[in-house]
Amino acid sequence: MMNTHISNIWRLGIKELRSLWADRVLLVLIVWAFTGGIYSAAIGVSQELNHAPVAIVDEDLSPLSMRLSRALTPPFFNPPENIALQQMDPTMDQGRYTFAIVIPANFQRDLNAGHRPTIQINIDATVMSQSFIGASYIQQIFAAELNEYLTGKRDTSSLPIKLVSRVRFNPNLTGYWFGGVMEVINNINMLTIILVGAAFIREREHGTLEHLLVMPLTPFEIMMAKIWANSLAVLLGTTVALTVVIQGVLEVPIAGSLPLFLFSAVIYLFSAASIGIFLGTIARSMPQLGLLIILTIVPLEMLSGGVTPRESMPELVQQIMLAAPSTYFVRLAQAILYRGAGMDIIWPDLLAMIGLGAIFFLVALVRFRRAVTQTQL
């Protein structure tokens, strides 16, 4: 009996893989999601300051003002362009510069006389993240240059002790290290739900679900076949994404064990696929499934800790998201890929995913059996 179940699940899974191979649209989606999609998400939405355009209105024309201008260098800033004061507002309105710095006349003379002259920094705040990061950089750079000019030392600190910050896991604070890996995790979640849910709807729309029901097959076998076949496609894409795109193209180091992460991903794929089948039993068509997936995937990705830390969310949201397997998968994935965690650290999250996956699978199985009964009637 067990051999019959395994054989049925295997053969149905092969059928699912053939159906997926014949669906060129889904194939293109999978390939793009785990290659170009990850690269563009990592590089294209970087929040780091990079070659910000700067204009300087130098009304002092002193050696010190020129020194300040030369201190703004790539890769954070483009070489500053000198403009007249009357050009500043029109050029910023046109979006040509993110920063426009006004150094007043007699700036060096007033500083040498012990006065506190003011440097004006005009910021285009429509580029929100880079504008505030850049303003902080400019203040630090100018403070260091002025302190070195006055005292011969760049360090402005007068504390009796020296605090040294050491950044772990991402010493250069490279933003796309985080963005690329998290895009892989989000795509695992998104594509698993989409593929499994679409597979169920495709059976219904093509009329092949009725063909399956007249065969000696159980709903359990049909569900397991869809889960393992579509999960295998996602797992292969994940492996390619981590080895070729993340480690190869983006050169992001993976701190932990890749096999351990893939093993954990297999467990999560079971949970996510069960959610996909559950949504497939509710929807009656592909458009309905698409709307349900949007309502499901967006909260899972936004509130599971992959976009913002869970600690910054309201307490109620944190408690609600404990019922989502994606919360544990994101935490587990970050621990393995970023911090090199082993099984001794991630096992509680694995157990939580297994428990929630079993619950979602049973709920989806009950819904599937009801759908089968209604179809037979």
Side-chain angles (χ1 to χ4, degrees), residues 239-286:
T239 305
V240 171
L242 289 175
T243 55
V244 177
V245 181
I246 297 298
Q247 291 182 306
V249 178
L250 296 176
E251 298 182 345
V252 178
I254 301 298
S257 170
L258 189 58
L260 179 60
F261 171 75
L262 294 177
F263 169 75
S264 306
V266 169
I267 297 177
Y268 176 71
L269 288 171
F270 175 74
S271 303
S274 299
I275 296 175
I277 291 181
F278 175 75
L279 296 179
T281 59
I282 295 176
R284 297 299 174 183
S285 63
M286 282 293 185

Side-chain angles (χ1 to χ4, degrees), residues 39-59:
Y39 181 83
S40 61
I43 301 297
V45 296
S46 175
Q47 299 298 314
E48 299 169 342
L49 189 68
N50 187 41
H51 293 287
V54 183
I56 289 187
V57 179
D58 189 356
E59 298 184 330

